[in-house]
Amino acid sequence: MFAPLYKYGLFGAEVSLVVAFVLGILFGFTLERAGFSSSRKLAMQFYFRDMTVLKVMFTAIVTAMVGILYLNLTDILDISLIYLNPTYLAPQVAGGVVMGIGFVIGGYCPGTSLVASAIGKIDGFVYIFGALFGMLVFGELFPLFQDFSTSGFIGDATLMQWLGFSPGTVAFLVILMALGMFWGAEIIEKKYAEKEQEAVPENETTREPDATRTFKTVQA
Amino acid sequence: MSDKQEKYWSPYVAGFVLGLVLLATFFVMGRGLGASGAMMRVVTYAVDTVSPEHVDGNVYFAKYAGGEQNPLNNWLVFEVIGVVVGGLLSGLLAGRLKWKTDKGPNISTTGRLLFAFAGGGLMGFGARLAKGCTSGQALSGGATLALGSWAFMFTMFAAGYAVAYFVKKQWI
């Protein structure tokens, strides 16, 4: 095994910052190309009109997950050297609730707000100031949350340990779940597109009858 | 929206590319991507500039900038600068650079901006509570099958769907 390259000492801390910048560019470019620079597009997820967020996220998770497991299986990547988010169940669930509410109100998540601002979205800039303010408040009030923020600690817990399955089985289940959700997302998007089509006044529906079936191309 | 504007990638293509970028990050660095951690460092930097004593006296701020530490000298901060550059680059090539506020037809611009600030505030607070955001927890922790990250991801989306009805006017 020779990866993660950084952990195997292929380059030092200073070079790692250059690597960070390059990976960040790729990350930001992809987020923008996915359409995540638009708060309305992101928010439509919560009204079943546009399920792009779900599709992009789970395709990305499945791709990276399968890649990691494959590279580990072929003795290239040492999984034990990869950072695993520690589990603090209580604050993570509470934080998830607060963020979910913030997501549908604010329209962005922190990463997407940066990409939105980069292309000139004013609500993106305002969102960033809001987020910085929220973090300042959290920091100032931290003494009140200190105990809660470390509660429900289970350490390096994984879905494998929780379910008692092998990594391969869990990966298979995640893939099945993702495919199920993609299938559902396509159906639900189509349903809402048809509903909106019906709502359009007569004079605007001048398309060929066949064109109404491929809503993806006409929707934009 | 102008006709010259380039279309977005198909969600599945974008997700696959995003997955490869995430995989490359794990392969090269042994860690995932993030966003909110870098924002916290900017906040801490600002507090540290105003009052270093205040930073040293607060456990949370001190973690990032206690003593002589510079909170901005950090992997995530450089990654996030890249995110902004990458987003700008994509927007430039696609003809999407434009000053604009995204909103539904039934809300004023001022109203939308107030919501953006409030939502951002909740997200900033929540991200620190959850120890990460959609990038650091849901995406990176999701791909490594971390239990807490999956719990976070599902509660976040469930909460979003639960309250969506009440802010419908903002978007539709």
Short mmCIF file of all heavy atoms in Angstrom, two decimals, chain A residues 193 196-198 200-215 217-220:
data_model
loop_
_atom_site.label_atom_id
_atom_site.label_comp_id
_atom_site.label_asym_id
_atom_site.label_seq_id
_atom_site.Cartn_x
_atom_site.Cartn_y
_atom_site.Cartn_z
N ALA A 193 -43.65 17.79 -12.90
CA ALA A 193 -43.51 18.46 -14.19
C ALA A 193 -44.82 18.40 -14.96
O ALA A 193 -45.24 19.37 -15.59
CB ALA A 193 -42.39 17.81 -14.99
N GLU A 196 -47.32 20.82 -13.48
CA GLU A 196 -47.07 22.20 -13.88
C GLU A 196 -47.45 22.43 -15.33
O GLU A 196 -47.88 23.52 -15.71
CB GLU A 196 -45.60 22.55 -13.63
CG GLU A 196 -45.46 23.61 -12.57
CD GLU A 196 -44.30 23.36 -11.63
OE1 GLU A 196 -43.17 23.41 -12.11
OE2 GLU A 196 -44.54 23.12 -10.44
N GLN A 197 -47.27 21.39 -16.14
CA GLN A 197 -47.64 21.48 -17.55
C GLN A 197 -49.14 21.76 -17.68
O GLN A 197 -49.55 22.59 -18.47
CB GLN A 197 -47.32 20.14 -18.23
CG GLN A 197 -47.07 20.31 -19.71
CD GLN A 197 -45.57 20.43 -20.00
OE1 GLN A 197 -44.82 19.54 -19.70
NE2 GLN A 197 -45.14 21.53 -20.55
N GLU A 198 -49.91 21.06 -16.85
CA GLU A 198 -51.36 21.26 -16.88
C GLU A 198 -51.75 22.67 -16.45
O GLU A 198 -52.73 23.24 -16.93
CB GLU A 198 -52.05 20.25 -15.95
CG GLU A 198 -52.12 18.85 -16.54
CD GLU A 198 -52.41 17.80 -15.49
OE1 GLU A 198 -52.95 18.16 -14.42
OE2 GLU A 198 -52.08 16.63 -15.72
N VAL A 200 -50.10 25.35 -17.02
CA VAL A 200 -49.70 26.37 -17.99
C VAL A 200 -50.90 26.74 -18.87
O VAL A 200 -51.61 25.88 -19.38
CB VAL A 200 -48.54 25.85 -18.87
CG1 VAL A 200 -48.22 26.84 -19.98
CG2 VAL A 200 -47.31 25.61 -18.02
N PRO A 201 -51.15 28.05 -19.09
CA PRO A 201 -52.27 28.47 -19.94
C PRO A 201 -52.13 27.95 -21.37
O PRO A 201 -51.02 27.71 -21.84
CB PRO A 201 -52.18 29.99 -19.92
CG PRO A 201 -51.30 30.35 -18.79
CD PRO A 201 -50.46 29.18 -18.46
N GLU A 202 -53.24 27.86 -22.08
CA GLU A 202 -53.31 27.29 -23.43
C GLU A 202 -52.26 27.85 -24.39
O GLU A 202 -51.56 27.10 -25.06
CB GLU A 202 -54.69 27.54 -24.02
CG GLU A 202 -55.75 26.57 -23.56
CD GLU A 202 -55.53 25.16 -24.09
OE1 GLU A 202 -55.45 25.02 -25.34
OE2 GLU A 202 -55.41 24.22 -23.29
N ASN A 203 -52.18 29.19 -24.46
CA ASN A 203 -51.32 29.79 -25.48
C ASN A 203 -49.83 29.50 -25.29
O ASN A 203 -49.04 29.71 -26.19
CB ASN A 203 -51.54 31.32 -25.54
CG ASN A 203 -51.29 31.96 -24.18
OD1 ASN A 203 -51.08 31.27 -23.19
ND2 ASN A 203 -51.33 33.28 -24.17
N GLU A 204 -49.48 28.99 -24.11
CA GLU A 204 -48.06 28.71 -23.92
C GLU A 204 -47.70 27.27 -24.29
O GLU A 204 -46.54 26.92 -24.41
CB GLU A 204 -47.67 28.95 -22.46
CG GLU A 204 -47.51 30.43 -22.16
CD GLU A 204 -46.93 30.67 -20.79
OE1 GLU A 204 -46.05 29.92 -20.38
OE2 GLU A 204 -47.39 31.62 -20.13
N THR A 205 -48.70 26.43 -24.42
CA THR A 205 -48.41 25.03 -24.77
C THR A 205 -48.47 24.83 -26.28
O THR A 205 -49.34 24.17 -26.81
CB THR A 205 -49.42 24.08 -24.09
OG1 THR A 205 -50.73 24.55 -24.45
CG2 THR A 205 -49.27 24.08 -22.60
N THR A 206 -47.50 25.42 -26.95
CA THR A 206 -47.47 25.32 -28.40
C THR A 206 -46.45 24.28 -28.87
O THR A 206 -46.07 24.25 -30.02
CB THR A 206 -47.11 26.67 -29.03
OG1 THR A 206 -45.94 27.17 -28.37
CG2 THR A 206 -48.25 27.66 -28.91
N ARG A 207 -45.99 23.45 -27.93
CA ARG A 207 -44.97 22.47 -28.33
C ARG A 207 -45.60 21.27 -29.01
O ARG A 207 -46.80 21.03 -28.92
CB ARG A 207 -44.21 21.98 -27.10
CG ARG A 207 -43.47 23.08 -26.39
CD ARG A 207 -42.71 22.49 -25.23
NE ARG A 207 -42.34 23.53 -24.30
CZ ARG A 207 -43.02 23.80 -23.19
NH1 ARG A 207 -44.08 23.08 -22.88
NH2 ARG A 207 -42.63 24.76 -22.39
N GLU A 208 -44.74 20.52 -29.70
CA GLU A 208 -45.16 19.24 -30.29
C GLU A 208 -45.61 18.33 -29.15
O GLU A 208 -45.04 18.38 -28.06
CB GLU A 208 -43.98 18.58 -31.01
CG GLU A 208 -43.40 19.41 -32.14
CD GLU A 208 -44.34 19.50 -33.33
OE1 GLU A 208 -44.91 18.45 -33.70
OE2 GLU A 208 -44.52 20.61 -33.86
N PRO A 209 -46.61 17.50 -29.38
CA PRO A 209 -47.08 16.61 -28.32
C PRO A 209 -45.96 15.73 -27.75
O PRO A 209 -45.89 15.52 -26.55
CB PRO A 209 -48.12 15.74 -29.04
CG PRO A 209 -48.53 16.51 -30.24
CD PRO A 209 -47.39 17.39 -30.62
N ASP A 210 -45.07 15.27 -28.62
CA ASP A 210 -44.00 14.37 -28.15
C ASP A 210 -43.02 15.08 -27.24
O ASP A 210 -42.44 14.49 -26.34
CB ASP A 210 -43.23 13.79 -29.35
CG ASP A 210 -43.99 12.63 -29.96
OD1 ASP A 210 -44.91 12.10 -29.30
OD2 ASP A 210 -43.65 12.26 -31.08
N ALA A 211 -42.83 16.38 -27.47
CA ALA A 211 -41.82 17.12 -26.71
C ALA A 211 -42.18 17.21 -25.23
O ALA A 211 -41.32 17.38 -24.38
CB ALA A 211 -41.65 18.52 -27.28
N THR A 212 -43.47 17.08 -24.91
CA THR A 212 -43.88 17.20 -23.52
C THR A 212 -43.38 16.01 -22.69
O THR A 212 -43.29 16.10 -21.48
CB THR A 212 -45.41 17.26 -23.40
OG1 THR A 212 -45.95 16.11 -24.04
CG2 THR A 212 -45.95 18.52 -24.03
N ARG A 213 -43.05 14.90 -23.35
CA ARG A 213 -42.59 13.74 -22.61
C ARG A 213 -41.17 13.95 -22.07
O ARG A 213 -40.84 13.48 -21.01
CB ARG A 213 -42.60 12.47 -23.48
CG ARG A 213 -43.96 12.15 -24.06
CD ARG A 213 -45.03 12.04 -23.00
NE ARG A 213 -44.68 11.12 -21.94
CZ ARG A 213 -45.36 11.02 -20.81
NH1 ARG A 213 -46.41 11.77 -20.61
NH2 ARG A 213 -44.99 10.16 -19.89
N THR A 214 -40.34 14.65 -22.84
CA THR A 214 -38.96 14.85 -22.40
C THR A 214 -38.87 16.17 -21.65
O THR A 214 -38.33 17.14 -22.14
CB THR A 214 -38.00 14.87 -23.60
OG1 THR A 214 -38.49 15.87 -24.50
CG2 THR A 214 -37.94 13.54 -24.30
N PHE A 215 -39.39 16.16 -20.43
CA PHE A 215 -39.52 17.42 -19.70
C PHE A 215 -38.17 18.03 -19.35
O PHE A 215 -38.04 19.22 -19.22
CB PHE A 215 -40.34 17.19 -18.43
CG PHE A 215 -39.55 16.84 -17.23
CD1 PHE A 215 -39.24 17.82 -16.31
CD2 PHE A 215 -39.08 15.55 -17.02
CE1 PHE A 215 -38.49 17.52 -15.20
CE2 PHE A 215 -38.33 15.25 -15.92
CZ PHE A 215 -38.04 16.23 -15.00
N THR A 217 -35.58 18.64 -21.11
CA THR A 217 -35.03 19.60 -22.06
C THR A 217 -35.88 20.86 -22.12
O THR A 217 -35.37 21.92 -22.40
CB THR A 217 -34.94 18.99 -23.47
OG1 THR A 217 -36.20 18.38 -23.75
CG2 THR A 217 -33.85 17.95 -23.54
N VAL A 218 -37.17 20.72 -21.85
CA VAL A 218 -38.02 21.90 -21.95
C VAL A 218 -38.08 22.67 -20.63
O VAL A 218 -38.40 23.84 -20.61
CB VAL A 218 -39.46 21.56 -22.40
CG1 VAL A 218 -39.46 21.02 -23.80
CG2 VAL A 218 -40.10 20.59 -21.44
N GLN A 219 -37.74 22.00 -19.56
CA GLN A 219 -37.89 22.60 -18.24
C GLN A 219 -37.00 23.83 -18.06
O GLN A 219 -37.43 24.83 -17.52
CB GLN A 219 -37.54 21.56 -17.18
CG GLN A 219 -37.98 22.00 -15.79
CD GLN A 219 -37.31 21.16 -14.75
OE1 GLN A 219 -36.16 20.76 -14.90
NE2 GLN A 219 -38.00 20.87 -13.68
N ALA A 220 -35.76 23.74 -18.56
CA ALA A 220 -34.80 24.83 -18.36
C ALA A 220 -35.27 26.09 -19.05
O ALA A 220 -35.19 27.17 -18.49
CB ALA A 220 -33.44 24.42 -18.89
#
